Amino acid sequence: MNRTFAIAGREFRASLSSPLGYVFMLLFVIVGLSLFFFVEGFFSSGEASTRGFFKWIPFLMLLVGPALTMRFWADERKTGTYEVLATLPLTATQLVWGKFLAAFWMLGLALLLTIGVPIVASNYGELDWGPVVGGYTGALLLGSAYLAIGLVCSALVQEQLLALFLGWAVCGLTLLPDLAFWDSLFQNAQWLLELRSIGFASRFDSIERGVLDLRDLLFYLSATGFFLYLNVALLRWRRFTT
Amino acid sequence: MINAERLVQEYGGSFRALDDVSFEIPRGEVVGLVGPNGAGKTTTMKILTGYLVPTSGRATIAGHDMIDDRLAAQRHIGYLPESAPLYKDMLVQDYLVLIAKLREIATRDRQRRLSAVIDACALGEVLTKPVAHLSKGYRQRVGLAQAMVHDPSILILDEPTSGLDPNQILDIREMIRGLGQEKTVILSTHILSEVEATCDRALMIVAGRLHVDEPLETFRRGHAVLMRVLGQVDDLRERASTVAGVQRAESIVDETGNTAVRLHTDAREGLLSTLGSCARDAGWTIIELTREHHDLEDIFRSLKLEKEEATS
């Protein structure tokens, strides 16, 4: 446990001192705030609502998840430091949790930087804080799943940018069933609705309305667990290859 | 202490990086793993440290099987990978503290262990510098300190002196000799003099196979002697090869118009004076007569020759 935190602490500090980490975190905040204030026209509507922000969360998480994790394994293997890590008496599970925790803290920090959204909104009238709490909880859970996907992608390649693009591609697949485009094409076919239940964004809709359904939370948690386990398996398998 | 049993490592299904390598290293021995680049030294070390699982065969460290009981085995080992990879963004002291934490050194012992390795590796002056700003020599020493933080009984060092300047090399060698008093050390190198300077025993790996597993005296046999005489002497090679102790003589191109031979000898006492008197009898004027610094290449070449002779 202590050692997991030692890895997480080192990784968190490294993320904060890496210029790329900063760029993506700032990009996340800037894009998030611009979508809310300008694209969604918060000021012109003048409504005390944060919906215009939280509806974009799946897209924002997709953007930032793989970006926060791209360096974690790819760089470690590229510079050879992974050899030190892998020959320390640590289990693959400890390593993966350490990395995941660091990424999770970074995600939390990024979301914290958007706290201006509900604060500004609450100045325009009586803000319902339920959807805000739900939105941030859902964002952390959905984001966690994307971080786990990003970690797996980072463990597959040695170039950070390749890991980033791979991560975006895989995370993009999870949003594919949610596209409104299919509706016009298939006229609300039953199978489309069922397929949509594994779409990451559709699940987020109800959370963002302030309805925290246990099934939705479990969905994101199991997706996170699945990809973290995949990451552990990948590290174990690495010992059998070069 | 270290037991390698019939290690085979195949990369990509066909290429054999290691082919049936077995050896045993008792406690307190300093062993040099020598061989040309790409011979399998690093692969051997990666298997011994648990980074790689061999295609077949097993490695046992202090009684712990590296596959079934990896964590227990790894606790006994300090490992310096090739070219000392470190987190460049960290300060030296933060890095060493991190390793101490990951090695589960109790907080009350941590300061004592850290001061010990900082002292041993002479890192006092760079503690508050980022690793990225360190010279190659310092990085190598930080890597060594990292390997020694938990006071392991076994040290595995991959090319510990590569890329260092002569003074730094002497420092590191002296340190390894000191460590060898109480620890089992395996180091890899392609410089034979390094093995002679620091090791009790040498394991030579050529093309994935273990060739020599004997005490170092073996290497001292088969010295080469360079002999150069004034002018054109046609029968130099022929006559020199008849001298007792000379096993083989080969002509060397001499662009200055003199004649030179390289004599492969059994390094017996007084050979040079025998050669001197032979030259006097023959009326040659010796302008050079030296024992050649025998390097690994010579040994690889003679190994290859032996093999060819054995097969033909």
Side-chain angles (χ1 to χ4, degrees):
Chain A
M1 201 56 181
N2 283 336
R3 292 184 289 171
T4 302
F5 278 111
I7 293 169
R10 123 93 204 150
E11 227 33 89
F12 183 62
R13 252 165 270 145
S15 294
L16 284 180
S17 59
S18 129
L20 267 179
Y22 263 123
V23 167
F24 274 99
M25 193 183 279
L26 287 180
L27 198 68
F28 165 77
V29 176
I30 291 166
V31 170
L33 297 187
S34 323
L35 283 171
F36 178 59
F37 287 116
F38 307 117
V39 178
E40 294 292 325
F42 169 78
F43 291 117
S44 51
S45 80
E47 232 180 294
S49 159
T50 51
R51 281 214 62 182
F53 173 67
F54 284 110
K55 69 186 277 197
W56 286 101
I57 280 291
F59 166 72
L60 288 170
M61 289 296 115
L62 176 142
L63 189 76
V64 81
L68 290 177
T69 51
M70 62 179 180
R71 182 182 52 82
F72 282 18
W73 296 119
D75 211 39
E76 198 93 58
R77 288 209 298 137
K78 192 181 178 186
T79 59
T81 48
Y82 183 62
E83 208 170 327
V84 176
L85 218 49
T87 52
L88 287 167
L90 296 166
T91 63
T93 315
Q94 287 171 320
L95 291 176
V96 169
W97 272 111
K99 297 275 186 182
F100 174 73
L101 267 185
F104 187 75
W105 293 342
M106 286 295 286
L107 182 71
L109 189 59
L111 284 170
L112 200 63
L113 292 176
T114 64
I115 200 74
V117 168
I119 288 175
V120 170
S122 70
N123 284 333
Y124 281 74
E126 196 64 35
L127 177 70
D128 182 2
W129 285 88
V132 176
V133 173
Y136 276 121
T137 311
L140 280 174
L141 288 168
L142 171 62
S144 292
Y146 284 167
L147 292 177
I149 291 175
L151 277 176
V152 170
C153 294
S154 181
L156 285 173
V157 296
Q158 294 196 16
E159 292 297 333
Q160 297 189 36
L161 282 180
L162 210 55
L164 177 66
F165 293 134
L166 200 59
W168 278 342
V170 178
C171 292
L173 285 179
T174 69
L175 293 181
L176 217 51
D178 304 311
L179 292 179
F181 163 79
W182 303 121
D183 291 326
S184 56
L185 206 62
F186 298 109
Q187 309 293 341
N188 282 328
Q190 184 60 33
W191 62 266
L192 180 63
L193 292 176
E194 273 164 28
L195 191 65
R196 199 156 273 179
S197 68
I198 60 160
F200 277 41
S202 310
R203 297 225 164 232
F204 194 78
D205 283 345
S206 58
I207 293 179
E208 170 238 328
R209 269 183 254 116
V211 188
L212 282 177
D213 187 332
L214 194 62
R215 279 172 305 174
D216 293 333
L217 303 188
L218 279 178
F219 175 80
Y220 290 133
L221 284 177
S222 35
T224 308
F226 171 76
F227 284 104
L228 288 183
Y229 181 74
L230 201 60
N231 198 168
V232 169
L234 203 57
L235 295 194
R236 288 189 184 143
W237 174 74
R238 283 247 179 271
R239 288 191 198 276
F240 293 88
T241 64
T242 49
Chain B
M1 205 62 185
I2 299 173
N3 201 334
E5 220 177 296
R6 315 206 61 170
L7 299 180
V8 173
Q9 181 68 51
E10 284 175 354
Y11 289 141
S14 55
F15 173 64
R16 280 211 162 181
L18 277 188
D19 193 0
D20 201 11
V21 168
S22 302
F23 54 84
E24 209 182 324
I25 299 172
R27 179 185 293 274
E29 205 167 55
V30 180
V31 172
L33 208 54
V34 287
N37 292 330
K41 300 179 302 250
T42 296
T43 302
T44 305
M45 293 189 147
K46 282 180 174 171
I47 292 172
L48 292 180
T49 53
Y51 182 74
L52 261 186
V53 172
T55 311
S56 71
R58 58 176 57 236
T60 315
I61 303 291
H64 302 283
D65 185 278
M66 190 44 100
I67 299 164
D68 302 336
D69 201 4
R70 175 171 66 86
L71 300 186
Q74 285 180 330
R75 285 196 183 96
H76 289 275
I77 300 176
Y79 177 38
L80 171 70
E82 199 171 358
S83 72
L86 306 165
Y87 293 127
K88 296 207 170 64
D89 53 295
M90 291 184 93
L91 302 184
V92 172
Q93 58 186 8
D94 293 349
Y95 179 69
L96 293 177
V97 168
L98 173 70
I99 297 292
K101 281 183 186 167
L102 295 179
R103 285 283 184 187
E104 282 189 302
I105 296 172
T107 320
R108 62 175 189 283
D109 298 331
R110 195 182 295 158
Q111 205 45 54
R112 184 179 53 81
R113 281 307 307 155
L114 287 177
S115 330
V117 294
I118 287 162
D119 241 32
C121 302
L123 293 172
E125 283 174 22
V126 296
L127 282 179
T128 53
K129 284 192 181 168
V131 170
H133 294 179
L134 298 184
S135 65
K136 175 81 181 129
Y138 266 119
R139 279 185 204 181
Q140 203 76 15
R141 271 142 69 176
V142 174
L144 262 175
Q146 169 272 127
M148 298 188 332
V149 163
H150 54 305
D151 199 15
S153 49
I154 297 170
L155 276 170
I156 297 183
L157 314 173
D158 200 350
E159 306 260 357
T161 59
S162 81
L164 303 186
D165 69 39
N167 280 327
Q168 295 168 330
I169 289 178
L170 289 180
D171 286 350
I172 298 263
R173 281 184 191 167
E174 196 176 326
M175 213 169 114
I176 292 170
R177 263 198 306 271
L179 290 168
Q181 311 268 310
E182 40 191 303
K183 294 184 194 305
T184 307
V185 183
I186 304 187
L187 62 92
S188 73
T189 178
H190 52 264
I191 307 158
L192 189 59
S193 59
E194 184 145 300
V195 181
E196 295 192 316
T198 48
C199 302
D200 305 317
R201 194 177 131 200
L203 300 174
M204 180 177 292
I205 297 186
V206 180
R209 284 178 167 273
L210 195 62
H211 272 268
V212 186
D213 178 7
E214 283 166 90
L216 273 169
E217 279 75 68
T218 319
F219 281 138
R220 299 187 208 281
R221 278 193 267 123
H223 274 204
V225 172
L226 184 76
M227 186 175 180
R228 198 186 302 277
V229 299
L230 192 66
Q232 203 62 43
V233 181
D234 296 331
D235 58 347
L236 177 63
R237 192 185 76 87
E238 215 172 305
R239 299 211 25 195
S241 60
T242 62
V243 173
V246 174
Q247 292 158 336
R248 202 154 46 80
E250 50 179 298
S251 301
I252 302 174
V253 180
D254 187 316
E255 280 153 7
T256 57
N258 300 315
T259 315
V261 283
R262 175 174 291 117
L263 308 171
H264 297 272
T265 76
D266 60 6
R268 63 177 62 182
E269 289 288 315
L271 182 73
L272 290 188
S273 56
T274 316
L275 283 169
S277 44
C278 164
R280 198 172 51 242
D281 297 346
W284 305 329
T285 311
I286 292 183
I287 50 178
E288 190 181 356
L289 183 63
T290 44
R291 277 193 194 283
E292 278 198 322
H293 183 77
H294 57 292
D295 57 5
L296 265 181
E297 296 307 319
D298 289 337
I299 294 176
F300 297 147
R301 210 179 299 133
S302 68
L303 269 175
K304 220 172 133 194
L305 283 173
E306 270 171 35
K307 217 168 139 192
E308 278 163 10
E309 276 163 26
T311 50
S312 63

